[in-house]
Amino acid sequence: MTTLHIVDDDEAIRDALGWLFQSRNVPVAGWPSAEAFLEGWKPDMAGCLLLDIRMEGMSGLELFDRLLSKGCRMPVIFLTGHGDVPIAVGALKKGARDFVEKPFNDNELVDRVIDALAFDAEQREREAGQAGLAARLATLTQRERQVMELVVAGRLNKVIADELGISMRTVEVHRSHVFEKMRVKTAVELTRLLTGAS
């Protein structure tokens, strides 16, 4: 489930932000500390992190660094005070999605979070598609892969047969297996599938 994870040690801010986003139909989970989030974090968590830079105990930046080292790819938006802007810029260079200065405009913050949630969903969809494509490619035999590469290059069956030193009927059988395994009906669909993945 795509969720906005609010990590802030100030309960009043967590509650206010939770209310703001719930009023805009954004699912929210509140976390009282960086340590609590780190303990509850799972690699398959989807959504966006809204992190306060300065918290008691582990800071938002420390949490961000730890999550990066664990492979977390959820977009992160930092909430910063006026004096924290250079720190936030440093976090952007490490891969944070955005930062918002306090006091913030509610609508601007909601727009940035919704944009980050959409980015996360698109990224996960793209990765799932690539994983599915890789799994289908893995089912091809070496000869089917050779035939597929030549089909995508625009070669006709007769030319493929000559290049591979096999009969045209064998090319047709391999081509049929490639289309079936790759779940396409035409060479154009196959080409779009493979070029869209790169």
Side-chain angles (χ1 to χ4, degrees):
M1 177 180 188
T2 299
T3 302
L4 169 63
H5 297 274
I6 301 169
V7 183
D8 198 311
D9 60 351
D10 185 327
E11 185 177 1
I13 291 177
R14 246 186 359 262
D15 289 346
L17 288 170
W19 180 85
L20 171 66
F21 285 99
Q22 287 172 341
S23 74
R24 308 286 175 88
N25 297 317
V26 175
V28 173
W31 303 86
S33 68
E35 292 87 352
F37 182 80
L38 193 57
E39 188 175 314
W41 178 78
K42 294 180 180 75
D44 63 346
M45 277 182 158
C48 170
L49 277 168
L50 187 58
L51 295 179
D52 189 7
I53 280 192
R54 297 192 186 272
M55 293 184 279
E56 291 292 321
M58 186 188 301
S59 73
L61 284 172
E62 289 175 83
L63 174 60
F64 180 59
D65 287 339
R66 292 230 188 140
L67 290 171
L68 285 177
S69 72
K70 290 177 175 278
C72 177
R73 293 182 322 277
M74 263 195 294
V76 174
I77 299 174
F78 281 103
L79 290 176
T80 67
H82 178 69
D84 294 327
V85 172
I87 296 169
V89 170
L92 288 174
K93 289 179 180 177
K94 287 183 178 180
R97 177 89 178 156
D98 208 343
F99 72 92
V100 179
E101 275 188 274
K102 297 176 190 174
F104 49 81
N105 174 293
D106 289 355
N107 290 329
E108 183 182 320
L109 179 61
V110 169
D111 288 346
R112 289 183 184 191
V113 165
I114 288 172
D115 178 57
L117 289 169
F119 173 80
D120 184 61
E122 289 168 10
Q123 179 176 298
R124 288 176 188 281
E125 187 175 309
R126 192 170 40 254
E127 288 170 1
Q130 289 171 347
L133 177 58
R136 285 185 260 164
L137 285 168
T139 66
L140 298 177
T141 65
Q142 182 179 355
R143 181 62 83 184
E144 288 168 347
R145 207 175 251 279
Q146 290 171 330
V147 169
M148 177 186 72
E149 288 168 3
L150 293 170
V151 167
V152 169
R155 304 283 199 317
L156 299 174
N157 287 353
K158 181 171 181 11
V159 175
I160 294 171
D162 290 345
E163 282 190 35
L164 297 179
I166 57 178
S167 74
M168 208 162 96
R169 177 67 187 132
T170 303
V171 170
E172 290 168 358
V173 169
H174 286 309
R175 182 180 174 127
S176 171
H177 290 161
V178 168
F179 284 14
E180 182 180 321
K181 289 178 180 181
M182 297 304 292
R183 300 183 197 145
V184 296
K185 292 185 170 103
T186 66
V188 172
E189 281 182 52
L190 179 63
T191 303
R192 284 186 184 145
L193 176 68
L194 295 173
T195 57
S198 57

